[in-house]
Amino acid sequence: MRIYELGDGTPEVSVVGSIHGDEPCGARAIERFVAEDPDVERPVKLIVANEEALAADERYLDDDLNRAFPGDPNAESHERRLAHDLGREVRGTTAFSIHSTQSYAEPFAIVDAVDAISRSILPRLPVDVAVETNHFAEGRLIEHAHTIEVEAGLQKSDEAADNAYWLIRAFLTATNVLPAPAVASDGGREGGAPDDAASQTEDDRLKLGIPEENSLDVFRLLERLPKPPADQYEVHATNFEPVVAGETFARADAEQFVADRDFYPILLSAYGYADIFGYAGEKVGTLP
């Protein structure tokens, strides 16, 4: 576990990357951010979590770290010891945990439930979707109070690493670690910065410096979609787009899986999980 602390005092905000060793986007984004030596207005802690699994390019060494919390300092398992240590590091902070996925290219947020903290932060992130885990958070860091998890994009892609960097900056601005860029009366950025396409793109990615907050759809997980042993898998539905009863949403070899009711697929992929295709969910509203 590699830890960076910026600013003076005890951090009340933390960023965690690469809980899974085959998801390097969080570590890459943290290193990029720290290398800039940013000025911060509140102290913050940035953590590259599972260095050993990252070096091995494996999801985990002994156990899935994001199913191992609260951990055990005396466990034989590397990840269970690490879960205990990581839990101690983020205790008392508003935490931001960065992941990537095989199921969806665009960033989206995951929370245990939308509470006052997440309600104040989520609309200021460059995401269009948030997912409540409902009762599927057991053993995950997201069970820690005031934790927001994000899926930054497709696993091992440069786009996910770039998205993760902008997500970090947006989160740290929303939590007052970084100052929001001032906006001039003509809509450009104060301080003489050119109001060109590049700066506009940066502002759009950060969703900062604009008066309106981002509106995002909120979904809730309802059930797992089991996946049997097979040689080949396919999915025939798009994440966050409705599947209607009677529609085929996946295939395992010759076996078809047909929806017995309407649902929204979430984290649905052919090979992302060993024993499930993903989750069935419902749309519960919008923020803000």
Side-chain angles (χ1 to χ4, degrees), residues 62-286:
D62 298 315
D63 293 287
D64 189 330
L65 177 55
N66 211 27
R67 304 295 185 272
F69 293 95
D72 180 352
N74 300 311
E76 293 185 7
S77 163
H78 162 70
E79 275 82 12
R80 293 196 179 279
R81 294 193 306 271
L82 182 57
H84 173 269
D85 294 342
L86 180 56
R88 181 186 61 219
E89 291 295 334
V90 301
R91 189 173 301 127
T93 71
T94 298
F96 192 62
S97 180
I98 303 166
H99 294 262
S100 55
T101 176
Q102 295 186 30
S103 63
Y104 196 66
E106 298 301 318
F108 64 95
I110 302 175
V111 294
D112 187 23
V114 175
D115 59 12
I117 296 293
S118 59
R119 188 178 293 273
S120 70
I121 294 172
L122 289 173
R124 301 186 63 186
L125 300 181
V127 299
D128 297 316
V129 170
V131 176
E132 292 186 321
T133 57
N134 203 2
H135 55 278
F136 294 101
E138 184 176 358
R140 296 172 64 149
L141 180 63
I142 206 169
E143 284 190 300
H144 163 77
H146 307 319
T147 296
I148 294 173
E149 190 174 287
V150 288
E151 298 285 354
L154 294 177
Q155 194 172 326
K156 298 185 178 180
S157 68
D158 290 338
E159 291 80 5
D162 189 51
N163 290 341
Y165 169 81
W166 290 110
L167 285 159
I168 288 173
R169 293 195 65 93
F171 169 74
L172 294 182
T173 303
T175 51
N176 300 315
V177 173
L178 295 177
V183 180
S185 59
D186 62 1
R189 297 173 69 180
E190 288 186 352
D195 191 17
D196 58 14
S199 62
Q200 285 294 315
T201 299
E202 178 178 312
D203 280 343
D204 289 345
R205 292 299 302 275
L206 286 167
K207 290 196 170 33
L208 302 173
I210 49 178
E212 297 83 11
E213 289 187 328
N214 184 37
S215 177
L216 65 161
D217 294 325
V218 181
F219 295 81
R220 180 180 296 133
L221 300 183
L222 294 176
E223 62 179 328
R224 296 180 177 90
L225 299 171
K227 182 171 75 172
D231 293 324
Q232 291 188 322
Y233 300 100
E234 299 175 2
V235 294
H236 301 288
T238 301
N239 282 289
F240 305 114
E241 296 293 334
V243 171
V244 300
E247 182 178 345
T248 298
F249 64 88
R251 182 187 299 270
D253 290 340
E255 183 180 1
Q256 296 186 64
F257 292 83
V258 178
D260 58 8
R261 58 169 171 152
D262 298 351
F263 70 90
Y264 287 87
I266 300 172
L267 289 168
L268 188 75
S269 68
Y271 296 99
Y273 298 99
D275 56 355
I276 63 172
F277 285 108
Y279 297 86
E282 62 179 344
K283 187 175 179 180
V284 296
T286 59

Side-chain angles (χ1 to χ4, degrees), residues 10-56:
T10 301
E12 296 178 339
V13 177
S14 63
V15 175
V16 180
S18 297
I19 277 182
H20 294 131
D22 59 354
E23 298 176 11
C25 64
R28 289 176 60 184
I30 287 172
E31 299 291 353
R32 176 181 171 184
F33 179 76
V34 171
E36 295 174 345
D37 192 21
D39 292 327
V40 297
E41 299 187 344
R42 296 178 65 192
V44 60
K45 180 183 297 186
L46 300 104
I47 304 168
V48 178
N50 203 341
E51 289 185 280
E52 292 82 358
L54 192 62

